[in-house]
């Protein structure tokens, strides 16, 4: 137990990691990976790939280290990576970004999100509308900023928000509508109607839209549509992404922000005092990645589509009800047909019962709504085929 006072408590409490005894838990991802390591279970918990990404990208990082690119890169980011980000936004989405003033590089999407939320929120009167379940870092950063989280629920099995609930959530107190699309942990891809309503509401109430698009190249059934590409959206949208998922380099932590100049300046002001800059040799490597051929990007989505289907089939055969994710690394399954109404309990037992690790959805929701997600489990499909097949075989023993 620690008695140290400070805003760390708000971060931990925001992410529901602060116990009644003042003890701080580790994140659900770290906890589940440690459980997998301890038990030797297959780790379908933490969302990281178990294979390397494209060789050209890895080689570019080696070349950059050998060429001495080992000192601080510019605070805004390597100019060639900024250029590659602008090219990427034009090539895939027709969005024009000025690389000199409308983009910055960050230490992963996590720093981009934290810097953006800290930069744009100004205390307890500011509200952030967020789609629940949500990635744990959102609540922690909103907590650090001392602002208020307003959750809009995504409900099993399609996880699209109810538009009336969304209308009620966004008010003149809303400073930010935070959108993660494709969505972790549900795998949802928002419908065109939902995207349009978000822009309409932001416009009506003077809110800023912050998008987390780290799974942009893992939209599995249709091309990804960034909110910034919608009519009237660009001037009020901060778009965040990262190379981690796209190039299977989650440990490199190269992310970026694109937004109108005044918003980028605000985010950069905070970002420069968080890390200033980082990842010097990885920045040119991610620039190489962003310029890879269309075949690479479609191959990535095709590979994940096949893995989603494989995992879904395995989970259904094991007796779960399974949602059909349209994007991301993840599939959500309902464990109640197996007689397991408490997914948190099931996830603690799963390594012993079946040699598999997964994450309960209750880790991504507010206390208030935890019951609604109680029997749901998130499985990560970003693993080798053999591993998914083995996991399916092991899970089949659950209902045997
Ligand atoms: N947002 C979402 C929705 C994520 O799932 C993740 C992590 N995997 C991140 C942000 C963090 O991205 P990064 O590793 O680039 O910081
Ligand atoms: N984004 C990854 C997931 O959702 C984990 C990242 C982390 O460990 N913080 O599993």
């Amino acid at each position: 137990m620690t008695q140290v006072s400070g805003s760390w408590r708000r971060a931990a409490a925001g992410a529901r990691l602060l116990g009644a005894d003042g003890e701080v838990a580790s994140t659900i991802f770290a906890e589940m990976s440690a459980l997998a390591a301890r038990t030797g279970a297959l780790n379908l918990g933490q969302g990281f790939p178990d294979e390397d990404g494209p060789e050209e990208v890895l080689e570019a990082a080696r070349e950059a280290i050998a060429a001495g690119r080992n000192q601080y890169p510019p605070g805004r980011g390597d100019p060639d990576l900024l250029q590659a980000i602008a090219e990427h936004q034009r090539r895939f989405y027709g969005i024009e970004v000025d690389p000199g003033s409308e983009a910055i590089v960050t230490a992963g999407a996590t720093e981009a999100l934290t810097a953006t939320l800290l930069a744009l929120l100004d205390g307890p009167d500011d509200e952030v509308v967020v789609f629940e379940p949500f990635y744990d870092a959102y609540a922690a950063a909103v907590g650090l900023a001392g602002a208020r989280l307003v959750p809009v629920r995504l409900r099993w099995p399609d996880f699209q928000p109810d538009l009336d609930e969304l209308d009620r959530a966004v008010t003149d107190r809303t400073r930010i509508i935070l959108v993660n699309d494709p969505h972790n942990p549900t795998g949802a891809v928002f419908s065109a109607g939902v995207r349009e309503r978000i822009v309409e509401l932001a416009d009506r109430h003077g809110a800023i839209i912050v998008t987390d698009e780290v799974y942009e190249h893992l939209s599995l059934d249709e091309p990804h549509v960034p909110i910034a590409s919608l009519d009237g959206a660009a001037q009020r949208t901060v778009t965040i992404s990262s190379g981690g998922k796209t190039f299977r380099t989650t440990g490199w932590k190269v992310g970026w922000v694109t937004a109108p100049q005044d918003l980028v300046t605000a985010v950069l002001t905070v970002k420069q005092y968080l890390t200033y800059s980082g990842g010097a040799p990885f920045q040119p490597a991610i620039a190489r990645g962003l310029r890879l051929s269309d075949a690479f990007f479609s191959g990535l989505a095709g590979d994940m589509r096949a893995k989603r289907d494989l995992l879904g089939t395995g989970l259904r055969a094991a007796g779960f009800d399974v949602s059909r994710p349209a994007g991301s690394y993840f599939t959500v399954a309902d464990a109640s047909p197996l007689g397991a109404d408490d997914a948190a309990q099931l996830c603690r037992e799963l390594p012993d019962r079946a040699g598999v690790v997964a994450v309960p959805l209750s880790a991504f929701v507010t206390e208030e709504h935890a019951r609604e997600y109680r029997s749901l489990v998130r499985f990560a499909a970003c693993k080798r085929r053999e591993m998914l097949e083995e996991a399916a075989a092991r899970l089949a023993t659950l209902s045997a």
Side-chain angles (χ1 to χ4, degrees):
M1 162 135 78
T2 170
Q3 300 300 332
V4 178
S5 60
S7 55
W8 68 270
R9 283 180 189 279
R10 291 206 305 262
R16 292 176 54 218
L17 295 180
L18 195 59
D21 55 358
E23 206 66 54
V24 185
S26 55
T27 76
I28 186 71
F29 310 114
E31 184 187 334
M32 290 302 164
S33 283
L35 185 62
R38 202 162 60 239
T39 59
L42 301 176
N43 189 357
L44 304 190
Q46 194 173 27
F48 63 88
D50 59 355
E51 288 177 289
D52 274 336
E55 181 50 33
E56 301 94 304
V57 173
L58 303 181
E59 186 51 32
R62 289 185 206 106
E63 283 167 16
I65 291 173
R69 301 201 44 186
N70 301 308
Q71 310 310 325
Y72 299 126
R76 281 182 173 271
D78 167 21
D80 188 54
L81 173 55
L82 293 168
Q83 179 64 38
I85 291 164
E87 287 166 19
H88 171 274
Q89 294 305 93
R90 182 184 309 124
R91 168 180 163 198
F92 287 98
Y93 312 124
I95 297 176
E96 293 299 325
V97 169
D98 172 22
S101 64
E102 295 177 330
I104 53 170
V105 176
T106 55
T110 307
E111 189 197 32
L113 282 157
T114 305
T116 301
L117 293 169
L118 289 175
L120 303 181
L121 295 171
D122 200 15
D125 294 336
D126 282 351
E127 294 184 351
V128 180
V129 170
V130 67
F131 296 91
E132 181 179 25
F134 47 79
Y135 187 54
D136 63 347
Y138 300 177
V142 171
L144 265 182
R148 247 172 55 81
L149 208 61
V150 178
V152 171
R153 274 157 293 177
L154 306 179
R155 292 189 174 85
W156 167 272
D158 70 335
F159 297 113
Q160 295 291 318
D162 174 64
L163 292 181
D164 293 331
E165 192 179 336
L166 180 59
D167 286 350
R168 283 193 301 276
V170 183
T171 69
D172 290 346
R173 288 187 302 281
T174 307
R175 176 76 175 139
I176 290 174
I177 306 177
L178 177 49
V179 184
N180 172 213
D181 184 26
H183 186 259
N184 177 10
T186 66
V189 167
F190 282 176
S191 69
V194 169
R195 277 185 229 117
E196 281 157 22
R197 185 66 67 93
I198 290 168
V199 177
E200 241 173 75
L201 288 168
D203 188 47
R204 189 179 314 151
H205 295 284
I208 293 167
I209 303 168
V210 176
T211 69
D212 173 349
E213 304 184 29
V214 299
Y215 299 101
E216 61 186 315
H217 290 291
L218 294 165
S219 177
L220 305 179
D221 298 330
E222 55 194 64
H224 174 63
V225 180
I227 288 200
S229 68
L230 270 61
D231 275 352
Q235 72 264 24
R236 58 172 65 258
T237 302
V238 176
T239 302
I240 291 171
S241 193
S242 157
K245 320 291 159 171
T246 302
F247 305 114
R248 296 191 177 126
T249 51
T250 61
W252 285 10
K253 286 288 188 175
V254 177
W256 51 89
V257 175
T258 55
Q261 182 169 0
D262 53 346
L263 287 167
V264 161
T265 303
V267 177
L268 178 63
T269 305
V270 173
K271 181 252 164 348
Q272 69 191 346
Y273 299 118
L274 292 177
T275 55
Y276 172 52
S277 70
F282 302 123
Q283 295 200 24
I286 296 295
R288 177 92 56 99
L290 290 171
R291 292 177 173 130
L292 286 174
S293 67
D294 291 349
F296 163 74
F297 292 94
S298 55
L300 181 77
D303 178 63
M304 187 52 62
R305 202 177 298 125
K307 288 176 171 173
R308 167 195 68 186
D309 294 344
L310 184 64
L311 177 64
T313 305
L315 290 171
R316 259 182 293 275
F320 291 92
D321 272 347
V322 184
S323 71
R324 190 173 188 283
S328 87
Y329 280 165
F330 308 108
T331 294
V332 174
D334 186 346
S336 32
L338 288 164
D341 286 337
D342 181 350
Q345 176 67 21
L346 179 71
C347 288
R348 280 192 292 274
E349 295 171 4
L350 215 47
D352 283 339
R353 287 179 59 188
V356 171
V357 162
V359 177
L361 241 67
S362 55
F364 300 84
V365 303
T366 53
E367 196 75 59
E368 210 186 333
H369 298 144
R371 284 206 68 77
E372 292 179 42
Y373 298 91
R374 198 173 134 86
S375 61
L376 302 180
V377 186
R378 187 194 82 170
F379 290 88
C382 50
K383 309 290 173 178
R384 278 167 297 126
R385 269 194 91 84
E386 310 83 82
M387 162 113 149
L388 295 173
E389 281 162 2
E390 174 62 23
R394 292 185 183 189
L395 289 166
T397 61
L398 280 177
S399 51

